[in-house]
Amino acid sequence: MKIAVMPGDGVGKEVVPAGLAVLSAAARKFGFTYTTTDYPFGGEHYLKTRETLPDSALKELAAHDAILFGAVGVDPRGSAQIPQGILETEILLKMRFELDQYVNLRPTKLLAGVPTPLANVGPSDIDMVIVRENTEGLYCGNGGFLYKNTPHEVANQIEVTTRRGVERVIRYAFEYARQFGRKKVTLVAKTNVLRFAHNLWIRAFEQIKGDYAGIETDYHHVDACTMYMVTKPKIYDVIVTTNMFGDIITDLGAAIQGGMGMAASGNINPTRQAASMFEPVHGSAPDIAGKGLANPIATFLSVAMMLDFLNQPKAASAIHRACREIAADVKFHTRDLGGQASTGQITEAAIAAVEKAG
Ligand code: GGG
């Protein structure tokens, strides 16, 4: 297995090495081998070189089996020389788009022992998987300005919605539900207002669901969904949604599952014609970077997703179990969960748990 490693900036430089240490323990335990190639891209690299992600590196990345990514971003106090959004669009979105990672898979699960801001809910109430469309929508960079910096300025940001793009991600959500025994797929969109793009979504959904007898289906407007994720999260099992709405509701999902430190993700190219990328949902968190305070669980869970994708299900399960053990024990909680444990202590605990896995 060939794994490209891109820690990026800030806490990415702490949680990715922690994830690699757990990956290495899993490889020893379960007898698989892999090689890693390091890539330096991110905000700090940009400040030194003015380079984001060159095409030559993108080509190399594509040829790996997977990419383990941390976070890109720099301390806003020192980032005046970085044009707004350049790191996100020219590094993160470039990989997602050019490597055709059209599924952004974001499990939202509350682990036992982790505090949630919701009252009277437990782990059995929050266990959903959000399938975010990852290569279209409002994120395509399709738009522009007219009469920029004049009183008549016009800015267009055009939502791109293709039949092929919508169908393939909806089908992925149903296939995922079928493979993992999930019972319901809910489409989240805004058909009452976005009457062209989201009309295509609902028509494709209605058509495709016919191929998946036995899987319940539902439709929610995105505004209602944000309310239900707080008031009755148990109604959600698999959600499929647009790029923009997926971005927003998965941050809400992260909040109810205990915070950004618990939220893992996979940017998946199901065809395997180019590498898929696995990353914690969180950013570079410059306020806590370099202090050993970052919660590495989101990265461990992303490594587990990567191993599942790379056909190492036993190793993936062992890492999941390790995360559950850590979550259940307050002495291993980092500051974001109300505890005092360091990134290093949790990493050691996760390694020990993987080593003793059955
Ligand atoms: N792992 C997700 C990621 O890196 N997202 C980019 C991001 O949030 N950048 C802003 C920041 O790190 O402050």
Side-chain angles (χ1 to χ4, degrees):
M1 288 189 300
K2 285 176 11 184
I3 300 172
V5 178
M6 203 184 299
D9 302 303
V11 295
K13 290 189 196 311
E14 296 166 71
V15 294
V16 166
L20 288 174
V22 172
L23 173 65
S24 165
R28 283 194 303 275
K29 178 76 188 181
F30 295 97
F32 63 87
T33 56
Y34 62 94
T35 57
T36 58
T37 321
D38 294 329
Y39 289 89
F41 306 110
E44 275 185 31
H45 182 78
Y46 177 82
L47 286 174
K48 276 189 228 138
T49 63
R50 299 290 147 189
E51 176 180 69
T52 49
L53 174 61
D55 289 341
S56 55
L58 187 71
K59 207 166 154 202
E60 283 177 35
L61 288 167
H64 286 76
D65 295 304
I67 303 163
L68 181 61
F69 181 78
V72 287
V74 291
D75 193 325
R77 288 163 296 192
S79 68
Q81 303 161 60
I82 302 191
Q84 193 185 26
I86 195 174
L87 302 173
E88 288 81 358
T89 54
E90 293 190 14
I91 299 178
L92 203 44
L93 295 191
K94 185 169 175 175
M95 283 193 282
R96 290 176 182 167
F97 282 59
E98 299 287 329
L99 305 182
D100 204 19
Q101 297 163 346
Y102 67 82
V103 173
N104 193 332
L105 193 61
R106 296 187 164 188
T108 299
K109 184 173 168 58
L110 177 65
L111 300 185
V114 171
T116 172
L118 302 188
N120 306 319
V121 301
S124 65
D125 299 301
I126 301 176
D127 182 6
M128 66 189 91
V129 174
I130 300 174
V131 178
R132 167 187 173 189
E133 200 291 319
N134 213 28
T135 53
E136 297 195 345
L138 279 166
Y139 285 65
C140 287
N142 188 4
F145 298 104
L146 286 173
Y147 319 119
K148 194 170 179 189
N149 292 323
T150 75
H152 304 288
E153 180 162 354
V154 178
N156 284 313
Q157 194 90 42
I158 298 164
E159 178 161 8
V160 174
T161 309
T162 69
R163 166 67 73 169
R164 171 178 172 267
V166 165
E167 281 186 0
R168 66 183 185 173
V169 76
I170 292 174
R171 209 166 270 290
Y172 182 93
F174 278 101
E175 288 293 333
Y176 183 95
R178 183 183 266 173
Q179 186 182 349
F180 294 100
R182 298 253 173 191
K183 306 226 166 343
K184 182 162 84 173
V185 178
T186 303
L187 172 65
V188 169
K190 187 74 181 167
T191 53
N192 54 344
V193 174
L194 305 177
R195 291 174 55 213
F196 308 116
H198 292 206
N199 180 267
L200 172 49
W201 272 90
I202 189 82
R203 280 185 286 116
F205 186 77
E206 290 297 324
Q207 180 197 323
I208 289 167
K209 76 181 194 189
D211 294 342
Y212 296 90
I215 298 177
E216 202 188 321
T217 59
D218 205 350
Y219 169 80
H220 287 165
H221 292 321
V222 66
D223 39 344
C225 170
T226 58
M227 185 177 63
Y228 294 143
M229 278 179 73
V230 172
T231 56
K232 41 180 183 178
K234 200 177 177 131
I235 65 171
Y236 292 121
D237 195 355
V238 175
I239 289 177
V240 61
T241 191
T242 68
N243 207 339
M244 175 89 253
F245 293 166
D247 192 1
I248 295 167
I249 66 171
T250 55
D251 265 29
L252 176 53
I256 64 173
Q257 74 181 127
M260 298 303 280
M262 303 301 296
S265 77
N267 300 270
I268 294 172
N269 178 335
T271 69
R272 296 176 188 257
Q273 283 168 1
S276 293
M277 172 176 59
F278 299 84
E279 57 165 334
V281 174
H282 63 71
S284 59
D287 52 329
I288 59 161
K291 297 179 181 164
L293 297 174
N295 182 350
I297 294 180
T299 305
F300 298 162
L301 292 170
S302 302
V303 169
M305 263 175 127
M306 178 173 81
L307 287 172
D308 254 329
F309 183 77
L310 297 175
N311 296 318
Q312 294 295 335
K314 286 189 184 151
S317 294
I319 296 176
H320 273 291
R321 212 172 310 121
C323 290
R324 286 200 298 275
E325 281 179 33
I326 290 168
D329 189 342
V330 287
K331 92 169 170 287
F332 294 126
H333 284 191
T334 36
R335 209 172 64 165
D336 54 314
L337 301 182
Q340 299 201 319
S342 68
T343 314
Q345 284 167 328
I346 298 180
T347 307
E348 280 167 29
I351 291 170
V354 168
E355 282 169 350
K356 75 167 173 44

